Amino acid sequence: MNDLSSSLLLPAIVFLPLLAAIIAYLIGQNRLQGPINICFSLAQFLLIGLTTLLFLHEKTDQSERYIIGGWGAPLGIDLIVDGFSILMLALTGLLTLLITLYSASYFSGKYSASDKSLRFWPLWWLLISGLSALFMSADAFNIYVCLEIIGLSAAALVALQGNRAALQAALRYLLVGLLGSLFYLFAIAILYRSHGTLDLMQIAETTNHSFPDKVAMILITIGLLLKIALFPLHFWLPPAHANAPTPVSAILSALVVKASLYILIKFWFDVLGETTTLGASQVLGALGGAGIIYGSWCAFRATQLKLLIAYSTVAQLGYIFLLFPLSEYSMGVSSFTGSASQAAVYFIVAHACAKAAMFLAAGNLILAQGDGEIAQLKGIAVREPLNVLVFAIAGISLIGLPPSAGFIAKWLLLTTAIESGQWWWVIVVITGGLLGAMYLFKVLSLAFSTDPAVIESRAVKSTAPVSSVSSVPVSNVMTTVALILALITLALGFNAEFILNISNTVSEVNDI
Amino acid sequence: MTSALFYSMAGLALFAIGFFGVVVASHVMRKILALNVMGVGIFMFLIALAKRNPLVVDPLPHALVLTGIVIAVAGTALALNLMVRIHHIDQSSQEQSK
């Protein structure tokens, strides 16, 4: 009776945001805009929450399948959930709710031109719909469509600011995304030619060491690495994530890059697992390691606050790629089980929460300061203590200090590296942590510095609001949302077993 | 060489030419066109694939190509729109500086 595969929950998770996109466009700009969108996000959160609870309750060893229209693979398109995808879905639901709350204030007209909200909401819901569908998709071509929905709506969202830098970043982001998707599509064509099906499970059953499968795996890897922005293909990410409106930056760093990563993990370990080699996984790990060092260094050099956080995303994505060499060694054959995959899953969740919190807090600080320059943040802790606190908590998690989700993730990564005898990754991880501390403490020490002259000048400024810098008081909602995300990051550090249990289900249920 | 194989090879060649264009071209317009050439290459490969058995035609690749064309149109439209907007901003800033 609680059967997920026969209930309408799974298609509803895709359908509701699509409906919300249309309604958000139709109602246009009025007072109801914010409340209606918040209602939709609540409904989406409840839908996903219910699905998650049902899935955990059933505890089946099989992944749950929903057959759309009763056609079934290979003719129809199926939706499927397993442990990993339910975790990503839950993350999507949580971030949708929180960032929608944030956006409802952000786009209420106080902080941005009012016509932006009309463009933001439909695109926002399209993005959420694409993400939700992607995490449940069991069909290779359907994944391509989802990737394009995500890519198009994300690029349009980046362009929302309308200035030259944002448009340029959006255009580059769009072109790179299209290029990556085309590589993926070509791989799908090759797979269909040799397997005669597009269903992931059916492809996995007939995968072998044949030449076409290897070519397909290479094309998929290249295409998705472009979209994930692994070093040295990261060039488009910092401008796109830094120039987007704050809520968009948050979802881009927290979920959109992870969506491509999710697909890569699925293909690498499940669908085309037979074709992967030890050498290839070491190459991915090495690129990840280079990304950690390079991204952290660029973050340290950045002068704009949001650019610093965007480069930090490049570095953090590098850590997740250590999954590939570590799991290969620990299992003999590549499979998405064991401690390396647990570390990666934990890292994905930890980074999503911490980075979203950090972007939202940074957006608040920039609004309060009226400027994105890091140097301008001197003494901001006096005026915006809560937002600086959020930034600090998120920073602690990104560096990997206890007690935070990031600490557990790094701990798992380090122990896996030591257990598998690959000590060189340990050096990379520790160096990355030190570099991370360098660039984050740079911001924090500025924020906490109490230069009396600066505070005096602030006081003068606040009494005489004729200065060219336009600073606005940050609404309580926006600060609270950032704070909730930061507290979740802390809570994940104290309650590691919850996530690890779900990711255990991942390893049990990974027979896609 | 069967015609299906011939068209598959032509699709591959188009994909490669398009990729070369995306990497090498400096103007955004050329990059967008090159991406479209790449896409057409894949579509051709898919259509040739539908006829790999000379007796029956597989309809599924045709459906994929139709979907792909819709997505390619949407992506191209968005890219062109962004390109034109950047061009307008550049023009107006040039006029101001004069």
Side-chain angles (χ1 to χ4, degrees):
Chain A
M1 52 169 191
N2 280 343
D3 200 8
L4 259 183
S5 37
S6 62
S7 73
L8 285 172
L9 271 176
L10 299 186
I13 291 172
V14 182
F15 185 71
L16 187 76
L18 277 181
L19 187 72
I22 296 169
I23 290 181
Y25 184 74
L26 288 179
I27 57 171
Q29 266 171 290
N30 56 38
R31 280 181 303 116
L32 289 176
Q33 197 179 35
I36 287 180
N37 284 306
I38 290 173
C39 286
F40 270 117
S41 68
L42 256 178
Q44 177 77 354
F45 179 71
L46 290 177
L47 269 181
I48 293 180
L50 193 59
T51 310
T52 313
L53 288 180
L54 277 179
F55 181 84
L56 292 180
H57 178 70
E58 284 180 20
K59 277 272 177 200
T60 49
D61 285 352
Q62 292 290 315
S63 38
E64 299 283 343
R65 232 167 211 277
Y66 178 83
I67 298 164
I68 298 177
W71 287 99
L75 201 56
I77 296 166
D78 294 353
L79 295 178
I80 199 165
V81 283
D82 57 19
F84 188 24
S85 56
I86 209 80
L87 199 66
M88 297 303 290
L89 262 185
L91 204 55
T92 312
L94 179 72
L95 289 175
T96 304
L97 177 65
L98 290 174
I99 300 180
T100 301
L101 278 174
Y102 184 93
S103 310
S105 306
Y106 187 85
F107 287 104
S108 63
K110 209 159 50 163
Y111 308 107
S112 58
S114 55
D115 64 317
K116 272 183 196 155
S117 67
L118 183 63
R119 299 189 211 130
F120 171 78
W121 288 110
L123 290 170
W124 168 253
W125 286 115
L126 267 183
L127 180 65
I128 299 301
S129 180
L131 284 170
S132 312
L134 184 92
F135 293 135
M136 292 190 291
S137 193
D139 181 276
F141 189 77
N142 200 27
I143 288 175
Y144 165 73
V145 176
C146 295
L147 281 175
E148 289 289 36
I149 292 175
I150 294 169
L152 290 178
S153 50
L157 282 169
V158 170
L160 214 59
Q161 296 284 34
N163 55 6
R164 194 182 188 286
L167 289 173
Q168 188 76 49
L171 182 57
R172 198 192 279 186
Y173 181 29
L174 176 68
L175 292 182
V176 167
L178 286 175
L179 184 63
S181 311
L182 283 177
F183 269 94
Y184 177 81
L185 181 62
F186 199 31
I188 296 311
I190 293 172
L191 283 180
Y192 183 70
R193 191 188 174 94
S194 50
H195 295 274
T197 177
L198 289 169
D199 187 73
L200 293 181
M201 208 182 261
Q202 290 175 353
I203 292 176
E205 280 165 8
T206 48
T207 306
N208 47 37
H209 288 284
S210 66
F211 179 68
D213 281 359
K214 279 184 185 159
V215 174
M217 188 68 226
I218 291 169
L219 286 171
I220 288 173
T221 308
I222 294 174
L224 290 176
L225 287 189
L226 255 175
K227 281 173 164 284
I228 303 167
L230 178 68
F231 177 87
L233 301 173
H234 66 282
F235 56 93
W236 57 269
L237 186 143
H241 288 202
N243 283 305
T246 300
V248 178
S249 307
I251 198 91
L252 285 184
S253 268
L255 274 180
V256 173
V257 282
K258 310 278 171 44
S260 307
L261 184 65
Y262 167 83
I263 299 301
L264 183 64
I265 289 176
K266 225 173 168 79
F267 271 96
W268 188 274
F269 292 105
D270 292 335
V271 182
L272 295 175
E274 301 267 324
T275 61
T276 57
T277 61
L278 212 74
S281 65
Q282 286 286 332
V283 169
L284 282 188
L287 290 178
I292 296 173
I293 307 294
Y294 180 81
S296 305
W297 176 246
C298 285
F300 182 66
R301 295 282 306 272
T303 54
Q304 297 278 324
L305 185 59
K306 279 176 96 174
L307 199 61
L308 179 146
I309 306 174
Y311 270 116
S312 146
T313 298
V314 174
Q316 297 281 320
L317 285 169
Y319 287 109
I320 305 174
F321 272 88
L322 297 185
L323 155 77
F324 292 95
L326 290 178
S327 66
E328 188 89 23
Y329 267 88
S330 57
M331 295 306 292
V333 285
S334 72
S335 68
F336 197 58
T337 52
S339 48
S341 69
Q342 283 194 344
V345 167
Y346 209 85
F347 218 104
I348 289 173
V349 177
H351 176 249
C353 294
K355 195 45 75 68
M358 186 174 258
F359 257 124
L360 296 185
N364 291 343
L365 291 178
I366 290 172
L367 282 179
Q369 197 65 28
D371 196 346
E373 291 281 331
I374 293 174
Q376 294 286 320
L377 291 176
K378 202 161 194 183
I380 189 90
V382 180
R383 290 199 301 150
E384 292 289 339
L386 274 179
N387 281 311
V388 173
L389 175 70
V390 171
F391 194 93
I393 294 175
I396 283 169
S397 179
L398 291 182
I399 299 167
L401 297 176
S404 66
F407 169 69
I408 310 259
K410 266 196 187 159
W411 180 255
L412 287 169
L413 211 56
L414 283 174
T415 48
T416 314
I418 292 168
E419 275 168 15
S420 64
Q422 303 184 62
W423 50 269
W424 51 93
W425 300 127
V426 176
I427 299 176
V428 173
V429 170
I430 290 175
T431 316
L434 288 177
L435 284 168
M438 263 164 68
Y439 65 75
L440 288 165
F441 282 133
K442 183 181 88 168
V443 177
L444 287 176
S445 65
L446 258 181
F448 280 110
S449 67
T450 46
D451 189 356
V454 172
I455 292 172
E456 239 168 64
S457 73
R458 291 263 177 280
V460 171
K461 203 181 269 180
S462 60
T463 50
V466 275
S467 64
S468 60
V469 183
S470 58
S471 65
V472 260
V474 178
S475 83
N476 288 332
V477 179
M478 287 157 71
T479 310
T480 314
V481 169
L483 192 62
I484 291 174
L485 273 169
L487 291 179
I488 291 174
T489 312
L490 277 186
L492 284 175
F494 284 115
N495 200 0
E497 287 187 7
F498 175 66
I499 298 290
L500 292 181
N501 275 340
I502 302 182
S503 59
N504 272 338
T505 342
V506 176
S507 39
E508 281 167 20
V509 189
N510 106 47
D511 49 355
I512 273 225
Chain B
M1 186 190 264
T2 63
S3 62
L5 187 64
F6 175 74
Y7 285 120
S8 302
M9 292 313 226
L12 254 174
L14 279 176
F15 183 83
I17 293 170
F19 181 59
F20 180 76
V22 174
V23 175
V24 169
S26 53
H27 197 281
V28 179
M29 186 71 211
R30 281 175 177 271
K31 276 190 198 290
I32 297 172
L33 287 176
L35 275 172
N36 273 287
V37 172
M38 274 177 90
V40 168
I42 300 171
F43 298 156
M44 201 148 142
F45 185 83
L46 275 168
I47 292 174
L49 198 156
K51 197 79 169 95
R52 66 204 147 169
N53 182 342
L55 297 176
V56 283
V57 174
D58 182 359
L60 200 131
H62 296 172
L64 301 188
V65 170
L66 277 177
T67 317
I69 288 174
V70 173
I71 293 173
V73 168
T76 310
L78 181 58
L80 288 176
N81 186 312
L82 289 173
M83 187 190 81
V84 170
R85 278 193 188 212
I86 293 170
H87 183 65
H88 281 318
I89 290 179
D90 284 350
Q91 264 189 336
S92 60
S93 66
Q94 266 178 4
E95 278 167 19
Q96 274 177 1
S97 63
K98 276 177 196 170

